[in-house]
Amino acid sequence: MAVLDIVRLGHPALRTPAREVASEEFGSPALERLIDDLVETMRAAGCGGLSAPQVGAGSQVFVYEVPPSEAPPATPPRSSAPPAEAVPLTIVVNPVLHGKPGRMVHDWEGCSSVPDLLGLVPRHPEVRLRGLDREGQPVDRVVSALESRIVQHEHDHLNGIVFLDRMRDLKSLTYSSEWSSFVERGEQGERTAVV
Ligand code: NI
């Protein structure tokens, strides 16, 4: 396993749709290494998710994980929102998402490929996630809350989309050092997800 460089906005990999992983690639050294490296790089960067294009690989793979100790607290501290849930390590290949129709939820997001910036991003509160795990076995489940946000963010990376493209209003875009006072001015959003 190796910690890879995470590419940043401007690198063409972030704007190039990833290709589907073929069935014969499951179990191959190349795919196994990519998955292991994604997990190690995500953990080293301290982010909640990472997609293959972010390490310059063009296949439809992402990983995500929120350890219990790192689940972001509700912000501001006085908020009545419950603490964010931990999310176990999950590896998804060739994902397909279906958002439930209904109200989108705005909350704060950042991205290790767009370092130091946060913005309010609308996401489906619940999505059905289908795809394959690292062994090529089907994944089919409904995810909600923070996990739903992470999955939509990572799925976007596989289509050349970054969170800035999903913001309805760039006025909420803020540097993390300015973010605390920004939120305390009563803007919406309950917690951050840097993914
Ligand atoms: Ni990202």
Side-chain angles (χ1 to χ4, degrees):
M1 296 215 288
V3 174
L4 305 177
D5 288 335
I6 297 176
V7 302
R8 302 196 301 174
L9 204 61
H11 192 293
L14 292 175
R15 294 307 197 176
T16 306
R19 63 166 184 83
E20 263 191 44
V21 174
S23 55
E24 59 268 24
E25 292 180 73
F26 286 90
S28 68
L31 184 61
E32 290 292 301
R33 186 168 61 245
L34 172 62
I35 290 170
D36 289 343
D37 289 351
L38 280 171
V39 172
E40 186 159 338
T41 303
M42 169 180 72
R43 288 174 173 167
C47 53
L50 196 65
S51 63
Q54 292 179 274
V55 296
S59 44
Q60 293 182 15
V61 182
F62 64 70
V63 303
Y64 60 94
E65 176 185 47
V66 180
S69 59
E70 291 172 20
T75 53
R78 65 181 177 277
S79 166
S80 58
E85 70 278 33
V87 179
L89 176 63
T90 305
I91 292 148
V92 191
V93 180
N94 298 344
V96 177
L97 294 191
H98 290 283
K100 286 195 168 184
R103 193 173 69 89
M104 305 284 270
V105 174
H106 282 73
D107 218 332
W108 296 96
E109 274 181 45
C111 178
S112 47
S113 292
V114 190
D116 204 30
L117 285 169
L118 298 168
L120 284 171
V121 182
R123 298 288 188 188
H124 295 285
E126 203 169 84
V127 293
R128 182 179 179 188
L129 166 62
R130 286 185 292 173
L132 301 168
D133 67 14
R134 75 182 298 163
E135 281 84 35
Q137 297 302 307
V139 172
D140 185 354
R141 54 201 180 92
V142 173
V143 299
S144 60
L146 177 62
E147 186 172 6
S148 173
R149 179 167 295 274
I150 293 172
V151 163
Q152 289 167 82
H153 180 114
E154 300 310 333
H155 182 260
D156 273 352
H157 276 305
L158 303 185
N159 291 296
I161 296 167
V162 299
F163 79 92
L164 301 170
D165 305 324
R166 295 291 190 192
M167 291 176 68
R168 295 235 176 97
D169 185 349
L170 287 172
K171 284 177 185 164
S172 71
L173 194 63
T174 180
Y175 287 102
S176 56
S177 58
E178 312 297 327
W179 175 74
S180 298
S181 53
F182 186 86
V183 171
E184 283 165 13
R185 291 207 302 273
E187 299 293 331
Q188 45 183 330
E190 292 179 342
R191 56 176 70 92
T192 53
V194 177
V195 282

